[in-house]
Amino acid sequence: GGIERTFIAVKPDGTQRFLIGEIIKRFETKGYKLVAIKAIVPSRTLAEKHYEDLKGRPFFNGLVKYMTSGAAPVIAMVWEGKDVIRQGRRLIGATNPLEAQPGTIRGDFCISVGRNIIHGSDSFESAEKEIGLWFGKSEVIEWEFGNAEWVTA
Ligand code: DAT
Ligand code: MG
């Protein structure tokens, strides 16, 4: 609930559908700070580690294939700010876009659980794990908002 970091990724379908800017905009205008970003086609090993908790689920292979195909990059990001892990999940909405509230990213822009356009860490532990998996230490930049007092009090 304090100042945290979370791993957010635009999935290949989000990239193909020109939603990168829209997704960044929602985190940026909410008041969160972008501290790392890159376009990347993850290796099979990276995608499998990222989703290792889902190994054995019937959709696991399809999920890894979709993330790694290279038809479009994943836009990997780290966002920082107050309660950003939980609030990021709220901005994103439910896993199944048909259950996601209008106003959330999934609620506004997609209709299929297999093409739900964005990933967000679900806990402090997964955020730590995922940031370490996708980014090197030197790729995460510490910086201060010039107008911090207008965002946080
Ligand atoms: P989330 O991405 O909301 O954290 P998750 O961690 O349970 O959801 O699952 C990871 C991804 O796996 C999810 O974004 C889309 C895919 N997925 C989950 N359940 C699925 C299902 N029943 N059928 C197809 N894909 C599924
Ligand atoms: Mg998850």
Side-chain angles (χ1 to χ4, degrees):
I3 304 297
E4 310 167 341
R5 288 175 173 177
T6 193
F7 176 73
I8 300 293
V10 180
K11 296 177 178 179
D13 49 334
T15 303
Q16 278 289 353
R17 295 185 49 211
F18 310 125
L19 291 170
I20 299 166
E22 178 67 39
I23 288 168
I24 289 176
K25 183 176 183 147
R26 290 185 179 216
F27 282 84
E28 192 178 38
T29 56
K30 174 75 176 167
Y32 291 128
K33 186 189 291 178
L34 184 61
V35 296
I37 183 167
K38 65 182 166 188
I40 175 175
V41 177
S43 67
R44 189 177 175 82
T45 306
L46 173 55
E48 286 181 351
K49 275 190 194 148
H50 174 80
Y51 281 127
E52 69 185 354
D53 293 350
L54 299 172
K55 218 165 206 164
R57 303 290 287 274
F59 56 84
F60 183 78
N61 284 328
L63 178 60
V64 169
K65 203 171 165 191
Y66 145 63
M67 293 292 285
T68 60
S69 82
V74 169
I75 308 303
M77 298 178 273
V78 181
W79 286 89
E80 180 182 289
K82 200 186 281 184
D83 201 32
V84 70
I85 300 170
R86 195 168 70 93
Q87 297 307 320
R89 294 285 296 191
R90 292 183 71 214
L91 290 173
I92 289 169
T95 302
N96 181 346
L98 300 182
E99 305 301 327
Q101 294 290 335
T104 66
I105 294 166
R106 286 171 175 162
D108 286 351
F109 298 115
C110 54
I111 51 176
S112 170
V113 70
R115 294 290 182 269
N116 64 2
I117 71 172
I118 180 169
H119 168 84
S121 307
D122 66 5
S123 66
F124 178 80
E125 292 69 29
S126 38
E128 294 274 290
K129 173 198 145 182
E130 291 164 6
I131 292 167
L133 213 47
W134 290 79
F135 288 99
K137 275 210 159 45
S138 67
E139 291 180 296
V140 182
I141 312 296
E142 247 177 79
W143 63 284
E144 301 306 325
F145 284 144
N147 63 348
E149 67 274 25
W150 298 105
V151 180
T152 321

